[in-house]
Amino acid sequence: MKLKNLRQFSQALFFLLFLWLFLQTESKGANELGYPVKIFLDADPLIWLTTILASRSFYGVFALALTVIVATALLGRVFCGWICPLGTLHHLVGKLKKRTVPKKAAGLHRIKYLLLIFIIVLAILGVQLAGIFDPLSFLIRSLSLAVYPMFSYALRSLFDGVYSSNIPYITGSSEFVYGLLKKTVLPFSQPLFLQGIFVGLIFFLFLALNLREKRFWCKYLCPLGALLGSLSRYAFIKRSVSEDCDGCGACLRNCQGGACFAGGPGGAILDKVKEWENTECLMCLNCDDPCPKNAVSFGFSRKQEPAVLDLGKRRVLGSLLAGIAAAPLLRITPLAKVGAAEPTLIRPPGALAEGMFLKRCVKCGECMKVCVTGGLQPTFLEAGLEGIWSPVLVPRIGYCEYRCTLCGQVCPTGAIRKLNLEEKAATKIGLAMIDKGRCLPFAHNMSCIVCEEVCPTSPKAIWFEEVRLMDRHGKKTLLKQPHVDLSLCVGCGICETKCPVLGRPAITVSNLGESRSKDNQLLL
Amino acid sequence: MNRRDFLKNAVRSGAALTLPLGIEPFLSIAGGADRPDLAVVRGASPARVTSAAVNELGGMRRFVSRGDIVVVKPNIGWDRTPEYAANTNPEVVAEIVRLCYGAGAKQVKVFDHPVSDARRTYKQSGIAVAAAAAGAQVSFIDERKFKDMAIKGQLLKTWPIYTEIIEADKVINIPIAKVHGIATLTLGMKNWMGIMGGSRGRIHQRIDESLVDLARFLKPSLVILDAVRILVDNGPQGGSLSDVRRLDTVIAGTDQVAVDAFGTTLFGMKPDTLGCVRIGHSTGLGNMNISRLRIKRLTI
């Protein structure tokens, strides 16, 4: 078996494993998922490193991340070429491009290193932006918030169409297929996310760059690739080219990393085919087989020092300074002032205090993917630019299920703590308050109190007062008017979700009183 | 014309006919010579209590015929385990499913439109596993199957109703007895909220009239009120074992008003304190005068 086939097998295996775990990131009714759905994020050295730097604390399991680091140091960027699911996806999309050497490759390999420096400088200064650019975070976020909802929407529309047109024989069998799909690949209910469209457009833009150059992202932009590239500088596996090489360039056609012509292609290709930058090599081994002279080989070698990519001192300095400037730029927002925080920023239960939460959250979207009600949504600027795409509960869309602790179970960095049910019941994420101008029993003398019915705490945080009121004809009526016991309310938001006053509900939750904050408190 | 065709036609023509008021009691009297109106059975095993209660009414064959498609509608509304008495007892549900198959049912379907997340309520209530083990087809609500129906009630004129319950040959309602903020108690008629689509919270504005309209429209063949455990405070979802009372009782009947009327006595109330019972009685849906009902009490 050719090594290249082994690599393809590995890619397929890890890609399918990734997708399968992604599909398992969904409740089946129990309070555990049963599968280690976040292992890819656990294995991500960039997330691991930047989270430690930004939060100045160790967290969770790091065996997998260390394994990737050691493997990279020994074998080179095998993670990129053999494992990374986003890399595999780019690889597949790259197949759409004609198999030619680009006339002029962009040769932008240094960008990813400069981005990495920028991210690490920020992390050292306590700002965690790695999640925005990290490939696994980016992939899971894009799949969760955009691609999977699109997939679900498209399939559901198709089957709903056949269902509603009720074609003899065809509808029956399509419903059978639909039933199977619902049990396997379709989500329990259609996921709908704020900003799904933007997250999706960004994702497809980066996929489309493969048509400009194969694996554009991996070669030029990926900060994890840059980190692994730096780690692979002294790896033992090396590519050697024997004297038989006549510089035909056949090896360049399928090079996934652009490792062979990083110095600038064009007329120089022929001179550069023997050169090899191991930090840019994804170990795809594509250059081994097509060589007509059989001159290329990979192996443990100490000869043939690989070429070194020159970042340029000024660029490195620029990147450092940009990181140093970005940290305060991101923080000069009044949102951090006591009492000025965005009141709708209801964080999931178990979320750390906002400062530490932002240092840990990598915006991977796992918590939003797993949220049973779909209430966890990506923020836009509610938490500042620093917190973009971090999770916020939007009760009008979905509430926090009282006995569910899944978001804390899937969070890869501990930004949301894993709670047990007792802790969950004692965790306030906000407080509900009634708008008497809209509430039916208060404003319109009508019976309602759905909020009291659905309130999950015991005793209920929403209680009612029986009052005798007069209607316009002078007739006495007995009404139950709801009140919120602020000491019992946990802010789960089910009252807001289920309030029959649609659109602008008569009871709303804000993050005031959230357990995680010392300052954002109301009660004595 | 069976029930399914009848209701289908009614829906299609937009005119869901209801029997003239006051005829149903005669029909039920004509059905059996000295059968009780209500069977109230008490005992340690929920399953045996349930089957004994059905037996007292004449056995499941009285309600289910060979080849019937039966919908069994428990309350699976809340993300609570059985000991919290927020959902119908899973053993009671499973026993009814078994009895239906025993009477020759072709298929028994179990579903509810819960308030909490359906995956969690089906699982945590224990009903999905228990009913499926008894052979029922347990399914989650499929939003496409809500269709606007002509309820033609006094208050509800049309509402989206789950079509599977309309298309069934027989319907069996299995509520659990609980206290409830706006409805005072949630018993049999209140359980019909679980087959409503749309923004159903709105019916709380006039809950009692709405429930009677629904009950009249849906016409279950049998009502089984689960009082193995009842919830006496913090209803309808509870959350504390101190709010649960163990009565080890199941009440069976065919008169929706009578079952609910009896249900009020479990909480030490009078039947007419419950609005839907009072209205159901006065509009001829059923009889709330417990003293005039033949009630068979049994302890096993």
Side-chain angles (χ1 to χ4, degrees), chain A residues 7 11 86-95 215 256 286:
Chain A
R7 185 260 303 160
Q11 279 182 299
L86 184 63
T88 304
L89 189 60
H90 283 306
H91 201 142
L92 288 171
V93 176
K95 301 258 180 208
R215 285 210 174 201
Q256 294 286 323
N286 273 350

Side-chain angles (χ1 to χ4, degrees), chain A residues 97-106 211-214 219-220 247-255 258 260-262 264-270 273:
Chain A
K97 183 175 164 53
K98 264 193 181 173
R99 288 183 168 207
T100 52
V101 182
K103 290 220 170 56
K104 176 104 175 92
L211 302 179
R212 171 69 180 78
E213 244 179 81
K214 281 179 209 167
K219 284 197 271 190
Y220 302 147
C248 72
C251 54
L252 301 186
R253 287 182 195 283
N254 286 315
C255 177
C260 301
F261 53 103
I269 291 178
L270 290 184
V273 288

